[in-house]
Amino acid sequence: MAAKAFFLFLTAFLSCSILAASLSLGHSRSLLQAATPATPATPVAGVAPATPPAGAPPITPGAGGAPAATPVTGGPTVATPAGGPIAPTGVTPVISGGVAVYDVTTFGAKADNKTDNVMAFMHAWIAACKNSTTPSKVLIPAGAFVAGPTVFAGPCTSPKPITVEVLGTVVATVDPSEYVSPEWFTFEHVDGLVITGNGVFDGQGGVFWQYNDCKGKSSECASLPSSLKFNAVSNVIVNGISSVNSKQFHFHLHESSNFTASYLTITAPGNSPNTDGMHIGSSSLVTVSHSVIGTGDDCISVGEGSSNVTIFNITCGPGHGISVGSLGKRPDDKSVNGVSITNCTFKGTTNGARIKTMVGQSPGGEAKSILYQDLLMDNVSNPVVIDQSYGTKAMRFQSKSFWKISDVHFKNIKGSTTTNAAVSLDCSITNPCEGVEVADIDLTFTPLHANKSFFSACSNAKATFTGTLNPPACSSTATPAANVAHATSSAGAPTTTPTADATPTTAPPTTPIADAAPVAPLTGAPPATPAASS
C-alpha cells in the first residue's frame, strides 16, 4: 500500500510539473506573438555601430524568389494571460549607428550561471522584434547565462533584419520536465534574421543522453530537445556561433528558406546519441560552409522535402559523415532535389558520403541531383555509400525501398579508409538506382585485420565508373542483371559490361553502416582544402 501510494504521488507530481512547464512555454509564445509595441526608444550616442559578419552576403528579405515563411501549427496552445500580454516598458536601448541595441542585462538577465533568464531574454527580443522603429539588435554579453526553453518568435514589425549577437555562453537547464516540446532555443516565423558573435550555446546534453530512446529506431520515439531550432524562418544568416553537447540535434532547420550558416563550431562526444551537427528538413536555398563539426551522429543530414542545399568547406569528425537521409521514415516524406557537398574533410568518421533510405516505406519519393565532390577521407569507414536497406541493422537483405535514387555523382574522393568495401552501392530491387557516376576514387586501404580484399560492392545500381579507381569498379558478377556497369580503369578505355544474371554482389558483406562504432578524431590530419568557389 505504501509503495502504491508513493507511486500515485510521484505520478501526480510529474504531471503537475509537465503541465506547469507547458503553461510556461505557452505563456511565453503568447507574450512574443501578441506583445504591444512600446514608445520608440530615445537615441543614445557613443557606442560603435553593429556590423554584419565579415564576408557574409547582405540580407535582402524576399529577394531571389524565396518564399515567405509559413506558420507551423502543433505547438502548445494556451489562453492569453489574464490582463493581456505583457510588454517590456521602461527600457531604453543604446543607439549606435542607427541600430537600437537591447542588452539582455537591462531586462534583468544575470550572468551568474544559475538564474533562469528566459523572461529577460524574451522581453529583450520583444522590444527588438516589435517595438523598434530602427534596425535592432539583442545583445547577450560576456558571461554564463542559464536559460530554459526559449522562443524568439515573429513576425516582427521592426525594420529588417533583427540581429542577435551572442558574446557569452548560454547554458541550458537540466530539468527534463521543463522540455515539453523537443527544442531548447527556438527562432520561428521570422523573416530577416542575423545571429552572430563568438558565443556558445551549451545544451548540457550529457545529463540527457541516458534518456535517448531514438537511437537505431525506425519508428516514432520521444525526441530530446534540439539546441537551436529554426522553424518557418527566411532570409537568415548565422555566423561564428558555437554549439556544444546538444541534447539531440545541435541545429535543426525546418520549413525554412534562404538560410546561410558559416564559421560554426559544433562539438559533442563521438558516442553521444543523435547529436547531428545540423539537420535540414523541408527547407530550400540552404548554404552551410567553413565549419568544424564533430558529433555522435551525422555532421550534417539533409532530410526529406529539402532542395537546393549547398555544403562546402566542412571538417567532419568524429561522426557519421555528411548524409542525405534517412528518407522514408514516414509515408508522407517528400523528395529531395539538388544537394551539393564539396571540398570537405572527414576524419575518422564511420561514414563519408552517404545516401540512406528506409526499407519498404510506401509510397516513396525521389532523391536526385546529388553531388559529392573533392572530398578528403582520413581513416574513414564506408567512405562512399548508397544504403537503401537503412534501418535493417540486425539482418542485411535485398532492399525493397520504394524510394528512387538518380543523378548521383561521387567524384574526386581521395585519402584512406579502414573498410574493404570502400564503395558500396546498395540500391533497391524495386527501384534500382539510375545515373550514378563514380569517378576518380583514389583511396588507400588501411585494414584493421590482415588478409582483407579491397573492392567496390554494387547491388541494383546502374552505375558508371571512370578515371582512377581504388578500389576497382564493381565486377560484372557483382551487379544484378537489370543493371549495366561502365568501368574505366586509369589505364584502359571505357567498356560496357552487361551482366547475365540477377545474382547479387558476391563480395563479402560490409559491416552494418549505421551501427558502426564512433572513432576518435585524429590528430595532425590535414585541414579541409578551401573551395575554389561556392
Side-chain angles (χ1 to χ4, degrees):
M1 289 296 293
K4 182 177 180 181
F6 175 76
F7 175 77
L8 293 173
F9 166 77
L10 182 59
T11 302
F13 173 77
L14 289 175
S15 298
C16 290
S17 296
I18 293 172
L19 177 60
S22 179
L23 290 172
S24 175
L25 184 59
H27 172 86
S28 301
R29 278 195 164 93
S30 298
L31 259 175
L32 292 163
Q33 294 169 349
T36 305
T39 305
T42 304
V44 177
V47 174
T51 57
I59 290 181
T60 307
T70 304
V72 176
T73 60
T77 303
V78 296
T80 301
I86 304 170
T89 58
V91 176
T92 301
V94 172
I95 305 298
S96 177
V99 176
V101 180
Y102 295 89
D103 188 326
V104 296
T105 61
T106 64
F107 292 85
K110 296 179 180 179
D112 58 8
N113 205 24
K114 60 181 182 180
T115 301
D116 190 339
N117 293 290
V118 168
M119 297 312 296
F121 281 8
M122 291 196 293
H123 279 149
W125 169 258
I126 291 170
C129 169
K130 298 183 179 294
N131 295 350
S132 180
T133 58
T134 63
S136 57
K137 175 169 69 175
V138 174
L139 174 64
I140 301 177
F145 295 88
V146 172
T150 303
V151 182
F152 283 4
C156 294
T157 55
S158 300
K160 303 173 185 178
I162 310 298
T163 298
V164 177
E165 184 175 14
V166 184
L167 301 179
T169 299
V170 184
V171 182
T173 55
V174 294
D175 181 356
S177 69
E178 293 184 24
Y179 295 89
V180 295
S181 187
E183 54 269 329
W184 169 35
F185 224 94
T186 303
F187 299 86
E188 63 182 14
H189 308 151
V190 181
D191 179 11
L193 174 68
V194 174
I195 303 174
T196 188
N198 58 2
V200 178
F201 287 86
D202 183 354
Q204 300 257 69
V207 179
F208 278 70
W209 295 328
Q210 61 183 313
Y211 303 118
N212 183 292
D213 67 347
C214 292
K215 186 174 176 60
K217 291 186 178 181
S218 59
S219 58
E220 293 296 333
C221 55
S223 296
L224 294 177
S226 299
S227 280
L228 293 163
K229 174 76 173 285
F230 295 86
N231 184 40
V233 299
S234 57
N235 302 304
V236 178
I237 290 176
V238 182
N239 181 275
I241 296 298
S242 295
S243 174
V244 301
N245 295 335
S246 59
K247 295 175 176 66
Q248 196 154 315
F249 301 155
H250 287 263
F251 287 77
H252 185 187
L253 186 59
H254 178 68
E255 292 193 352
S256 297
S257 65
N258 202 14
F259 181 98
T260 300
S262 59
Y263 299 98
L264 307 178
T265 302
I266 299 174
T267 309
N271 61 353
S272 55
N274 298 113
T275 53
D276 295 46
M278 180 179 292
H279 179 72
I280 302 164
S282 302
S283 297
S284 63
L285 300 173
V286 178
T287 300
V288 187
S289 69
H290 298 93
S291 297
V292 177
I293 305 174
T295 71
D297 210 301
D298 293 323
C299 290
I300 301 174
S301 55
V302 181
E304 62 92 17
S306 296
S307 62
N308 298 315
V309 176
T310 302
I311 298 166
F312 63 96
N313 277 18
I314 303 296
T315 298
C316 171
H320 295 181
I322 298 178
S323 300
V324 175
S326 58
L327 305 174
K329 185 174 182 179
R330 291 161 291 272
D332 58 349
D333 277 4
K334 295 179 174 59
S335 298
V336 171
N337 181 19
V339 180
S340 172
I341 296 126
T342 60
N343 292 94
C344 297
T345 295
F346 299 79
K347 299 181 180 181
T349 53
T350 60
N351 301 282
R354 178 168 63 157
I355 302 170
K356 48 184 177 174
T357 72
M358 309 296 288
V359 174
Q361 294 292 318
S362 179
E366 290 186 88
K368 61 184 180 180
S369 300
I370 299 168
L371 171 67
Y372 285 95
Q373 184 172 356
D374 301 332
L375 308 181
L376 178 62
M377 305 288 169
D378 190 344
N379 276 9
V380 170
S381 301
N382 311 301
V384 176
V385 177
I386 294 178
D387 181 9
Q388 292 207 259
S389 298
Y390 186 74
T392 59
K393 302 184 188 70
M395 181 182 298
R396 305 294 286 186
F397 53 84
Q398 285 263 42
S399 170
K400 294 183 179 179
S401 174
F402 289 93
W403 279 73
K404 181 73 173 182
I405 295 176
S406 64
D407 189 17
V408 175
H409 307 270
F410 300 102
K411 302 171 69 175
N412 193 29
I413 300 175
K414 304 182 186 301
S416 59
T417 176
T418 59
T419 304
N420 56 336
V423 175
S424 176
L425 310 180
D426 176 20
C427 297
S428 171
I429 194 171
T430 305
N431 260 328
C433 299
E434 294 183 342
V436 178
E437 178 187 16
V438 181
D440 295 311
I441 310 298
D442 191 7
L443 296 166
T444 301
F445 180 35
T446 54
L448 299 178
H449 304 284
N451 302 319
K452 287 280 189 178
S453 58
F454 191 39
F455 61 91
S456 298
C458 300
S459 180
N460 308 306
K462 297 180 180 179
T464 301
F465 289 78
T466 61
T468 302
L469 295 172
N470 290 303
C474 292
S475 66
S476 60
T477 59
T479 312
N483 305 334
V484 177
H486 308 282
T488 307
S489 69
S490 55
T495 60
T496 300
T497 310
T499 58
D501 55 45
T503 304
T505 177
T506 57
T510 58
T511 303
I513 294 167
D515 218 19
V519 181
L522 303 178
T523 57
T529 305
S533 65
S534 60

